Amino acid sequence: MDYAPASPAPSAADEPRGRPRVLLTVEQAAERLAIGRSNMFKLIKTKQIASVRIGQLRRVPATEIDAYVERLIAEQNAA
């Protein structure tokens, strides 16, 4: 059965002034994938999802979330 995981609709906090966020906190990225913060850090550590540092802050490009989900779907469809 093929389906795309439902990602939660971005909240007003995710889209300041109507524009989607380019970078997400680790917690926001985890929420979009419906996983915990620890699992999100594991995906970052294993380089399954790219992240960037801005000073001491770690951010996840929003495009990385979509790319990760697409890779998961492609891998599962290939199996």
Side-chain angles (χ1 to χ4, degrees):
M1 174 163 113
D2 292 330
Y3 73 94
S7 56
S11 68
D14 287 341
E15 296 188 14
R17 298 185 208 113
R19 293 177 297 208
R21 288 191 185 265
V22 176
L23 296 173
L24 305 171
T25 66
V26 172
E27 291 79 8
Q28 289 169 330
E31 185 176 316
R32 288 203 180 176
L33 289 174
I35 62 173
R37 183 176 178 269
S38 296
N39 281 333
M40 189 69 216
F41 274 109
K42 185 176 180 181
L43 291 173
I44 292 168
K45 184 176 182 177
T46 59
K47 301 196 185 303
Q48 294 181 59
I49 292 182
S51 68
V52 296
R53 290 193 57 95
I54 301 173
Q56 294 182 347
L57 305 174
R58 175 145 326 262
R59 295 293 182 257
V60 177
T63 55
E64 279 295 311
I65 303 301
D66 296 329
Y68 176 70
V69 171
E70 290 298 321
R71 286 193 305 272
L72 286 177
I73 292 169
E75 288 171 6
Q76 290 178 19
N77 286 338

